[in-house]
Amino acid sequence: MSEERKLAYVMAFNEAVSQAMEADPDVFCAGEDIGAFGGVFGTFGGLQAKFGTDRVVDTPISEQAIVGLGVGAAATGLRPIVDLMFMDFICVAMDQIVNQAAKLKYMFGGEATLPLTITTAGGGGLSAAAQHSQSLEAILCHIPGLKVVYPSTPYDMKGLMMACIQEDNPTVMVKHKRLLGMSGHVPVEPYSIPLGTANVVRPGRDVTIVAYGRMVHESVAAAEKLAADGIECEIIDPRTLQPLDTDTIVASARRTNRVLVVHEAVRFGGLGAEIAAQIQEAAFDHLDAPVGRIGAPFSPVPFSPALEQHYIPSSAAIEAGVREAMFRNKVGA
Amino acid sequence: MSEERKLAYVMAFNEAVSQAMEADPDVFCAGEDIGAFGGVFGTFGGLQAKFGTDRVVDTPISEQAIVGLGVGAAATGLRPIVDLMFMDFICVAMDQIVNQAAKLKYMFGGEATLPLTITTAGGGGLSAAAQHSQSLEAILCHIPGLKVVYPSTPYDMKGLMMACIQEDNPTVMVKHKRLLGMSGHVPVEPYSIPLGTANVVRPGRDVTIVAYGRMVHESVAAAEKLAADGIECEIIDPRTLQPLDTDTIVASARRTNRVLVVHEAVRFGGLGAEIAAQIQEAAFDHLDAPVGRIGAPFSPVPFSPALEQHYIPSSAAIEAGVREAMFRNKVGA
Amino acid sequence: MNISPEVQFDLHRRMVRIRLFEEAAGRLAEAAKLPGFLHLYVGEEAVAAGVCAALNDDDHITSTHRGHGHLVAKGGDLNRMMAELMGKSTGYCKGKGGSMHISDLSLGMLGANGIVGAGSPIAVGAAFANRYRKKGQVAVAFFGDGATNIGAFHEAANMACALHLPIVFACENNEYGEFTPRDQTMAITDIVDRAAGYGMPGVIVDGMDAIAVHEATLEAVERARAGGGPSLIEAKTYRFYNHHGVQNLGLKYRSDDEVARWKERDPIFTLEDRMIENKVATRQQFDDIWADWRAAIDRAIQFAEESPLPTPDQVLVDVYTTGGAR
Amino acid sequence: MNISPEVQFDLHRRMVRIRLFEEAAGRLAEAAKLPGFLHLYVGEEAVAAGVCAALNDDDHITSTHRGHGHLVAKGGDLNRMMAELMGKSTGYCKGKGGSMHISDLSLGMLGANGIVGAGSPIAVGAAFANRYRKKGQVAVAFFGDGATNIGAFHEAANMACALHLPIVFACENNEYGEFTPRDQTMAITDIVDRAAGYGMPGVIVDGMDAIAVHEATLEAVERARAGGGPSLIEAKTYRFYNHHGVQNLGLKYRSDDEVARWKERDPIFTLEDRMIENKVATRQQFDDIWADWRAAIDRAIQFAEESPLPTPDQVLVDVYTTGGAR
Ligand SMILES: Cc1ncc(C[n+]2csc(CCOP(=O)(O)OP(=O)(O)O)c2C)c(N)n1
Ligand SMILES: Cc1ncc(C[n+]2csc(CCOP(=O)(O)OP(=O)(O)O)c2C)c(N)n1
Ligand SMILES: [Mg+2]
Ligand SMILES: [Mg+2]
């Protein structure tokens, strides 16, 4: 039965696209090497064979035109999915994303809808070095007009990707490269997860960990270790980073009184800063410790595994962060 | 004498460039319309006449190649100043800024120096609408390898611009469009202000306002009103946004126990989030109120003055923010 | 080709509408009644008119910072245009876009654009959608000579050719990008030389001659509708006023003589002379046309002036269809 | 032109070095001894060798994701290269860059680049600096056929021509971008057709013939040094292995027949045959050359394997000269 069915994260993405294309002839995909080849990560595998070259389009290496293709087609009534192979390449297409897609509806006084999904692959851990490993989601979350989604499980991947395709606003769907092969329960039938709803991955009374993408799994590993010492972590995965489900996060913070925010992106100016700032605004009197933040150090992503393994936040760092929050001594005011 | 000499913000920029070019033949400028025309804001006025077309170069409308010109020339020994007319256009050149300039030294194992200054004009208030009014500095501050400077006075402009040109790392110097005509004391002789040093614009005991760019002046106006009610604001202008002078900010927060961070950029994910997060980390037990944040609402910049005037944070909003921080009642924990 | 008197009048009327709209906007700007930047299309009317007269309402265009002319030519409502320039809530963009983002999706006008070159990739998207729907619609990307130096133009041109899309690239070569002459920013003289690098036909037309522009566009549009792929049209033209606003500010970057020579070739007056000479029209007919549209412009100004400003609560409206605002 | 025996040997040696380095890297990758992505240059050696043999040490090149060949041809140290590929602290980038960012500024090699097309604007900057300093240096931008579809290439080519800079654009047209054939991503057959759109001379050369590439480069470099501005060289070539790694993964996007046909034209073996035929060299000489460089590669592997990994404290080093780290 459907409840038993397991699927890899990458195939959950693929299935969402496939089912959306079956349901709606206005959905099409375009990107580099996504057609015959199925995408360098296999995300679009088999779709061109199924839906033809008109609907699954191999493009030139032209990230600006790829996003522009999506903007123009969305503004004129289609529902495009355009792929930017690596998240680092959003920089190449940044004008079309930030100055065009995000702002079109507003600039036109509301007289446009832009049901555009931009898909990309973020994160490190493959020794792909500084230009193929970045986590740039904070940049996108700062831009009004965009929605940003970052699933951590196959189940969320399918439901969120479906929601992105059905959404009438431009969304950026970030896949984590290291999660592509992760297997998990995914229903066969189409379903969508409303954008902007966090998931409580693990309930706990002592401390709240807010984490997304691959860091959810590092957090779960840390939480299991901490549980052995009687520290119960509540793990919240926002899943959608923009809009952010602040209510769920703040409610948890008010209950546990201690929060650690974790992401793979560089700590300075990452989304963790916004989350921490919001928590201390909304739960100031509830906090027994500063909102802690774990993120990458302030450097580009190094190539060598010997360096990268220390660069990417680990469950050990999360564990240490939680312990610091738990056993903090009040210093004189 | 020099102490008396007043100069407009735009001319302080111009003088810094001019004196740097006199002192160092490796300094050159390139950008759109900066040559014969002197730049659309007059920033480069007269420099081509003085230094010739080899050193003050009109370029095609090619933001990627403009920054690339700077990267390549800096890596091979010159000290380029390249201009991106409006800050919104950094999106067009984002790959060269984020993936090339910022990372080159690191990716090459330190074997490169990149004394590159990118200049641009940020901020709203000219009814220039969504693509010519943005404050995107938070994006740049999230990128390791870049330094980001945002002067609020003619004096700081000259000293910081000089520091940028002398700096061996890529810097982005943001001018605020609405400050161009602002006049103030500027010494004739060359001087530079070390990057990463904040300026205490106004000392005060009751509340700390952290503000930069044009918001410094709105904050001063608010502080003057508040002073009439006996509320003494300390205003700190970081001047350099990356690296950020956290020490000065935190020391003030520990003294006043209340902080408001103000910027023109969109509040969500703005630099204020990072500053607030850092303050609550470093001064948790000193805070009598959450760190407040004032920034633009979550929308593109609207065109109509009737809207834009409500969009850009005002001294009234800052005043209200300070009062909220001052008279906050502790709610039950 | 034989352009009928009706079409000649159509071209003329489109140009007159643009001219009067732009002259009025210029006057209002000089009287400080228009906020923001204003890039006037005066002098280049033959291009927008010649191109748009070859299009249907459901064909798409993308435009530039100099976009009023394109929208007027595509049939834009003068009232809503003038109201937008004044930042009023009755404007095309409810006051949120202004001159640089003026648009009318119901006429297929996908917006003026403040980012040089950014419209072309969007036009490629519209052309893709048009072919996808197989209803015979085409897309036209307008852009300046300067815009052909930017990456987005290149990617759009190449992608359109690679995908063989129904699109026309319409270059308004006015020999300047802002205050810098074209020959300082490229080593070629004719933009059309770029067409071969993408594998599309290119043609130079006199951009001061609406009929010539129109004929070239008819051919290119027909090719596009018939599945023949993209074309590039380079219209040699000239803007009579400054890059933005009306008067030259500061430096004189164009000689009086150069401006005067182009003004002699005013696209509207030369068409009128030709139509009169060919006995297609009389001076009186033209006088009536000018008078009619002058009145329409006056009404547009009145409409705009009497319209309300948007209220502050509108700032956060229309960022998203749902799920935004904080 | 008459290419001397010395230069022929030079070309040959550069190619052999590249071939052996790349074959070794491929073997190490298959043995899971190299982290990250690996884009091998095997098959295209004649391009890097032919171009770089026309350059001095203080001339600059920018490179691509497929960059080892360029650095070897420019004179790169095999030990430091191999160490970098292994992520060791003795590598060119101290293990921070890896294959996609390998570089040697002392040889004017401004880095492999993980962003397609991004090297060309940087080469324009180097060319600008070279003219600025007036020491007669030139810059060469290497890039693939696919890269000519991206905006950065276009802007660089146009700016170089507008500023009349001493630069050569060297296109390695291997008929594929990753797994997609060139003819699906552009409507032209020859990249050189793009040169006219910028106003520079362009020439097609046989990219499997190092002498032909070299001659074309000599001409272009000479023109550049003499103030004659940019040129475009399109070298028709082919990569013998997969886009990255060695074996094709999954889909067969190139026919066995196609690959075999190109392999028959192996740039090293055809040059050897020709040199022997022309009595410029003997088989024994070539055998010695291969043996010498095989030994050098073995030493490089040993050097790399014995080198230490970077220590964790190096993560925050070299982000800035001063004032960084948090
Ligand atoms: C990406 C970008 N760079 C620079 C500008 C500033 N700018 C506005 S219009 C213009 C000149 C455009 O020249 P052209 O394309 O020839 O159009 P024209 O103004 O002559 O109609 C420039 C440089 C911009 N708006 N966008
Ligand atoms: C901006 C950007 N887009 C896409 C990629 C992914 N990518 C890496 S190599 C490559 C193909 C490049 O083709 P070409 O320029 O012909 O060089 P070749 O690999 O054939 O040597 C692509 C698409 C990238 N690295 N950068
Ligand atoms: Mg122009
Ligand atoms: Mg190729």
Side-chain angles (χ1 to χ4, degrees):
Chain A
M1 257 312 298
S2 151
E3 274 157 48
E4 313 299 322
R5 211 272 300 251
K6 296 223 169 210
L7 211 60
Y9 184 86
V10 58
M11 289 315 296
F13 173 95
N14 188 280
E15 187 168 276
V17 176
S18 183
Q19 291 180 347
M21 290 184 76
E22 272 164 24
D24 184 348
D26 287 343
V27 178
F28 75 95
C29 314
E32 295 161 20
D33 300 291
I34 71 160
F37 197 73
V40 294
F41 300 113
T43 30
F44 294 86
L47 295 175
Q48 193 180 65
K50 201 159 162 188
F51 297 105
T53 51
D54 282 355
R55 294 185 70 193
V56 182
V57 182
D58 276 319
T59 66
I61 307 173
S62 306
E63 277 76 8
Q64 297 191 68
I66 290 169
V67 178
L69 177 76
V71 172
T76 56
L78 299 186
R79 208 166 266 282
I81 301 167
V82 298
D83 188 58
L84 301 176
M85 206 180 281
F86 284 79
M87 190 172 205
D88 315 71
F89 305 168
I90 66 168
C91 293
V92 185
M94 196 63 97
D95 175 64
Q96 285 289 333
I97 300 171
V98 166
N99 289 332
Q100 312 299 329
K103 298 177 170 45
L104 204 93
K105 180 181 188 60
Y106 191 80
M107 294 189 303
F108 292 3
E111 297 295 322
T113 40
L114 220 69
L116 166 66
T117 305
I118 300 170
T119 61
T120 191
L126 296 180
S127 304
Q131 294 173 340
H132 284 73
S133 308
Q134 287 170 93
S135 297
L136 297 174
E137 57 274 7
I139 291 178
L140 301 170
C141 293
H142 185 47
I143 305 299
L146 298 178
K147 297 192 178 184
V148 183
V149 169
Y150 207 143
S152 65
T153 66
Y155 179 89
D156 286 355
M157 170 53 94
K158 180 171 172 183
L160 291 168
M161 183 60 191
M162 198 65 94
C164 285
I165 301 172
Q166 290 164 351
E167 168 80 29
D168 277 339
N169 301 290
T171 55
V172 182
M173 151 62 76
V174 192
K175 312 175 276 286
H176 195 292
K177 299 185 206 81
R178 285 281 304 275
L179 295 180
L180 293 169
M182 180 199 173
S183 180
H185 164 58
V186 178
V188 172
E189 58 277 9
Y191 61 96
S192 74
I193 298 171
L195 300 189
T197 57
N199 180 31
V200 181
V201 175
R202 185 188 202 280
R205 59 165 192 263
D206 296 322
V207 57
T208 302
I209 301 177
V210 183
Y212 58 88
R214 196 169 81 75
M215 287 299 119
V216 172
H217 306 288
E218 294 292 316
S219 299
V220 168
E224 276 162 14
K225 281 214 169 179
L226 289 157
D229 289 351
I231 300 173
E232 287 301 332
C233 303
E234 176 147 307
I235 301 178
I236 297 179
D237 175 1
R239 303 192 290 196
T240 306
L241 308 184
Q242 185 60 271
L244 191 67
D245 183 354
T246 308
D247 292 348
T248 300
I249 295 169
V250 167
S252 176
R254 289 191 174 166
R255 210 157 12 76
T256 63
N257 314 121
R258 295 167 199 270
V259 189
L260 183 69
V261 191
V262 184
H263 52 58
E264 207 182 304
V266 162
R267 187 182 132 108
F268 190 103
L271 192 66
E274 176 64 32
I275 295 173
Q278 288 200 26
I279 291 171
Q280 61 93 36
E281 276 156 18
F284 185 72
D285 299 311
H286 301 266
L287 291 177
D288 290 338
V291 180
R293 288 186 294 152
I294 294 201
F298 205 64
S299 84
V301 184
F303 161 69
S304 182
L307 298 172
E308 195 185 21
Q309 76 189 53
H310 296 282
Y311 179 87
I312 299 175
S314 63
S315 66
I318 298 168
E319 199 191 320
V322 168
R323 289 190 196 277
E324 193 183 317
M326 288 305 296
F327 302 111
R328 180 174 190 278
N329 287 323
K330 216 176 153 83
V331 298
Chain B
M1 256 318 299
S2 151
E3 274 156 47
E4 313 298 320
R5 209 272 301 253
K6 295 221 172 216
L7 211 58
Y9 183 86
V10 58
M11 290 315 295
F13 174 94
N14 189 279
E15 187 167 276
V17 176
S18 184
Q19 291 179 346
M21 290 183 77
E22 273 164 23
D24 184 350
D26 286 343
V27 178
F28 75 95
C29 313
E32 295 161 20
D33 300 291
I34 71 160
F37 196 74
V40 295
F41 299 113
T43 29
F44 295 85
L47 295 176
Q48 193 181 65
K50 203 158 161 188
F51 297 104
T53 51
D54 281 354
R55 293 185 69 192
V56 182
V57 182
D58 276 320
T59 67
I61 308 174
S62 305
E63 277 77 8
Q64 296 191 68
I66 290 169
V67 179
L69 177 76
V71 173
T76 55
L78 299 186
R79 209 166 266 282
I81 301 167
V82 298
D83 188 57
L84 301 177
M85 206 180 280
F86 285 79
M87 189 172 205
D88 315 71
F89 305 168
I90 65 167
C91 294
V92 186
M94 197 63 97
D95 175 63
Q96 285 289 332
I97 300 171
V98 166
N99 289 332
Q100 312 300 329
K103 298 175 170 47
L104 204 92
K105 180 180 187 62
Y106 190 80
M107 293 188 304
F108 292 3
E111 299 294 323
T113 40
L114 220 68
L116 166 67
T117 304
I118 300 170
T119 62
T120 191
L126 296 180
S127 303
Q131 294 173 340
H132 285 71
S133 306
Q134 288 170 90
S135 298
L136 297 175
E137 56 275 6
I139 291 178
L140 301 170
C141 293
H142 185 46
I143 306 298
L146 298 178
K147 296 191 179 185
V148 184
V149 169
Y150 207 143
S152 67
T153 67
Y155 180 88
D156 286 354
M157 172 53 95
K158 181 170 172 184
L160 290 168
M161 183 60 191
M162 198 65 95
C164 285
I165 302 171
Q166 290 164 351
E167 168 79 28
D168 277 339
N169 301 290
T171 56
V172 182
M173 151 62 75
V174 191
K175 313 176 275 284
H176 195 291
K177 300 184 205 80
R178 285 282 303 276
L179 294 179
L180 294 169
M182 180 198 174
S183 181
H185 163 60
V186 177
V188 172
E189 57 277 9
Y191 61 97
S192 74
I193 298 171
L195 301 189
T197 58
N199 181 30
V200 181
V201 174
R202 184 188 202 281
R205 57 164 194 261
D206 296 323
V207 57
T208 302
I209 301 177
V210 182
Y212 58 88
R214 196 169 83 74
M215 288 299 120
V216 171
H217 306 288
E218 293 293 315
S219 299
V220 168
E224 276 161 15
K225 282 214 164 176
L226 289 158
D229 288 352
I231 301 173
E232 288 300 334
C233 301
E234 175 146 306
I235 301 178
I236 298 180
D237 175 1
R239 303 193 288 195
T240 305
L241 308 185
Q242 184 61 269
L244 191 66
D245 183 355
T246 308
D247 291 349
T248 300
I249 295 169
V250 167
S252 176
R254 289 190 174 168
R255 210 159 11 76
T256 63
N257 314 122
R258 295 166 200 271
V259 188
L260 184 70
V261 190
V262 185
H263 52 59
E264 205 182 303
V266 163
R267 185 182 132 107
F268 190 103
L271 192 66
E274 177 64 34
I275 295 173
Q278 287 199 26
I279 292 170
Q280 62 94 35
E281 277 156 19
F284 184 73
D285 298 310
H286 301 265
L287 292 177
D288 290 337
V291 180
R293 289 185 294 153
I294 293 202
F298 205 64
S299 85
V301 184
F303 161 69
S304 182
L307 297 172
E308 196 186 20
Q309 76 189 55
H310 296 283
Y311 179 86
I312 298 175
S314 62
S315 67
I318 298 167
E319 198 190 321
V322 168
R323 288 191 197 278
E324 194 184 315
M326 288 305 297
F327 303 112
R328 179 175 190 278
N329 287 322
K330 213 175 155 83
V331 299
Chain C
M1 224 175 292
N2 205 354
I3 299 299
S4 71
E6 289 69 40
V7 172
Q8 293 183 36
F9 271 109
D10 179 20
L11 293 169
H12 176 262
R13 266 192 312 268
R14 288 182 206 242
M15 290 198 289
V16 169
R17 276 205 311 262
I18 299 172
R19 175 70 53 94
L20 289 169
F21 184 87
E22 294 293 71
E23 297 279 3
R27 280 195 307 278
L28 289 164
E30 296 211 314
K33 286 188 171 176
L34 297 190
F37 295 114
L38 189 77
H39 304 90
L40 296 177
Y41 199 72
V42 175
E44 308 188 6
E45 293 91 345
V47 189
V51 169
C52 292
L55 302 178
N56 302 324
D57 277 2
D58 65 353
D59 291 324
H60 299 102
I61 63 171
T62 60
S63 169
T64 68
H65 54 288
R66 202 175 300 289
H68 318 156
H70 304 135
L71 180 49
V72 172
K74 196 76 174 48
D77 180 303
L78 301 178
N79 290 8
R80 295 182 67 193
M81 286 188 68
M82 199 56 89
E84 188 57 35
L85 264 50
M86 290 192 193
K88 297 299 182 78
S89 66
T90 55
Y92 260 117
C93 312
K94 307 197 180 109
K96 285 177 181 156
S99 164
M100 271 196 287
H101 307 294
I102 204 153
S103 54
D104 183 344
L105 265 69
S106 73
L107 292 171
M109 199 297 199
L110 299 176
N113 207 313
I115 304 294
V116 167
S120 291
I122 298 173
V124 169
F128 179 89
N130 289 343
R131 190 186 51 194
Y132 195 91
R133 277 187 300 259
K134 299 192 174 63
K135 298 215 180 112
Q137 295 149 278
V138 301
V140 175
F142 286 102
F143 51 93
D145 49 308
T148 69
N149 295 332
I150 205 162
F153 161 76
H154 173 75
E155 295 190 6
N158 180 67
M159 189 182 282
C161 290
L163 303 181
H164 207 65
L165 297 177
I167 189 168
V168 180
F169 291 94
C171 181
E172 296 160 336
N173 180 356
N174 62 11
E175 293 290 324
Y176 290 84
E178 295 204 342
F179 312 97
T180 303
R182 193 198 43 67
D183 61 9
Q184 283 186 27
T185 60
M186 54 178 73
I188 56 171
T189 305
D190 300 318
I191 305 296
V192 84
D193 290 352
R194 303 204 150 153
Y198 307 109
M200 64 177 149
V203 63
I204 297 176
V205 292
D206 178 357
M208 307 309 269
D209 178 349
I211 294 180
V213 173
H214 187 59
E215 286 176 339
T217 311
L218 284 175
E219 191 186 320
V221 164
E222 201 169 301
R223 178 164 44 238
R225 288 201 213 282
S231 313
L232 173 67
I233 297 174
E234 174 183 5
K236 305 273 193 189
T237 185
Y238 202 75
R239 61 173 155 74
F240 289 175
Y241 294 133
N242 197 22
H243 169 62
H244 58 78
V246 177
Q247 302 299 332
N248 284 346
L249 309 159
L251 183 93
K252 225 181 165 64
Y253 58 97
R254 314 189 297 186
S255 72
D256 287 345
D257 191 51
E258 176 180 303
V259 177
R261 262 185 292 120
W262 279 95
K263 282 194 175 167
E264 269 166 35
R265 304 184 47 225
D266 186 301
I268 305 181
F269 303 148
T270 51
L271 179 62
E272 290 185 351
D273 291 349
R274 196 159 139 197
M275 287 172 72
I276 290 171
E277 199 177 306
N278 292 342
K279 308 227 177 332
V280 166
T282 63
R283 173 61 52 207
Q284 183 58 47
Q285 282 178 297
F286 290 135
D287 288 347
D288 292 348
I289 289 167
W290 284 94
D292 284 355
W293 288 107
R294 229 171 235 122
I297 296 290
D298 288 344
R299 286 194 300 276
I301 295 172
Q302 195 183 345
F303 171 83
E305 283 182 336
E306 289 172 359
S307 288
L309 288 166
T311 49
D313 60 296
Q314 293 301 301
V315 167
L316 278 171
V317 173
D318 286 332
V319 183
Y320 297 94
T321 56
T322 56
R326 71 199 59 241
Chain D
M1 223 176 292
N2 206 352
I3 299 298
S4 71
E6 288 69 40
V7 173
Q8 293 183 35
F9 271 108
D10 180 19
L11 293 170
H12 176 262
R13 265 192 312 267
R14 288 183 206 243
M15 290 199 288
V16 169
R17 275 205 311 263
I18 298 173
R19 175 70 54 93
L20 288 170
F21 184 87
E22 294 293 70
E23 297 280 2
R27 278 194 309 276
L28 289 165
E30 296 211 313
K33 286 188 172 175
L34 298 189
F37 296 113
L38 188 77
H39 303 91
L40 297 177
Y41 199 71
V42 175
E44 308 188 4
E45 292 90 346
V47 189
V51 169
C52 292
L55 302 178
N56 302 324
D57 276 2
D58 66 353
D59 291 325
H60 299 103
I61 64 172
T62 61
S63 169
T64 67
H65 54 288
R66 202 175 301 290
H68 318 156
H70 304 136
L71 180 49
V72 172
K74 196 76 172 54
D77 179 305
L78 301 178
N79 290 6
R80 294 182 68 193
M81 287 188 68
M82 198 55 89
E84 188 57 35
L85 262 50
M86 289 192 194
K88 298 299 183 76
S89 65
T90 53
Y92 260 118
C93 311
K94 305 193 182 115
K96 283 176 183 159
S99 163
M100 272 197 286
H101 307 294
I102 205 155
S103 55
D104 184 344
L105 265 70
S106 73
L107 292 170
M109 198 298 197
L110 300 175
N113 208 312
I115 305 293
V116 167
S120 291
I122 297 173
V124 170
F128 180 91
N130 289 342
R131 191 186 50 196
Y132 196 91
R133 277 188 298 259
K134 298 192 174 66
K135 299 216 180 114
Q137 296 148 276
V138 302
V140 175
F142 285 101
F143 51 93
D145 49 307
T148 70
N149 294 332
I150 205 161
F153 161 75
H154 174 75
E155 296 190 6
N158 181 68
M159 187 181 282
C161 289
L163 303 181
H164 207 65
L165 297 177
I167 188 168
V168 179
F169 291 95
C171 180
E172 296 160 336
N173 180 355
N174 62 11
E175 293 290 324
Y176 289 84
E178 295 205 341
F179 312 96
T180 303
R182 192 198 44 67
D183 62 9
Q184 282 185 30
T185 61
M186 55 178 73
I188 55 171
T189 304
D190 299 318
I191 305 298
V192 83
D193 289 353
R194 304 203 150 152
Y198 307 110
M200 63 178 150
V203 63
I204 296 177
V205 293
D206 179 357
M208 307 309 269
D209 179 349
I211 293 180
V213 174
H214 187 59
E215 286 177 340
T217 310
L218 284 175
E219 192 186 320
V221 165
E222 201 170 301
R223 177 163 46 239
R225 289 202 212 281
S231 315
L232 174 68
I233 296 174
E234 174 184 3
K236 307 273 193 189
T237 184
Y238 202 75
R239 61 172 155 73
F240 289 176
Y241 294 134
N242 197 25
H243 169 62
H244 57 77
V246 178
Q247 301 300 330
N248 284 347
L249 310 159
L251 185 93
K252 226 182 166 62
Y253 58 97
R254 315 190 296 187
S255 70
D256 288 345
D257 191 54
E258 178 181 301
V259 177
R261 262 185 293 119
W262 280 96
K263 282 194 175 167
E264 270 166 33
R265 303 184 48 225
D266 186 301
I268 305 180
F269 303 147
T270 50
L271 179 63
E272 291 185 352
D273 291 349
R274 196 160 141 195
M275 287 172 71
I276 291 173
E277 200 178 307
N278 292 342
K279 309 226 176 338
V280 166
T282 63
R283 172 63 50 206
Q284 183 60 47
Q285 281 178 296
F286 290 136
D287 287 347
D288 291 347
I289 289 168
W290 284 93
D292 283 355
W293 289 108
R294 227 171 238 125
I297 295 291
D298 288 344
R299 285 194 301 274
I301 295 171
Q302 194 184 346
F303 171 82
E305 283 183 336
E306 288 171 359
S307 288
L309 289 166
T311 50
D313 59 295
Q314 292 302 302
V315 166
L316 279 170
V317 173
D318 286 331
V319 183
Y320 298 94
T321 56
T322 56
R326 73 198 57 241

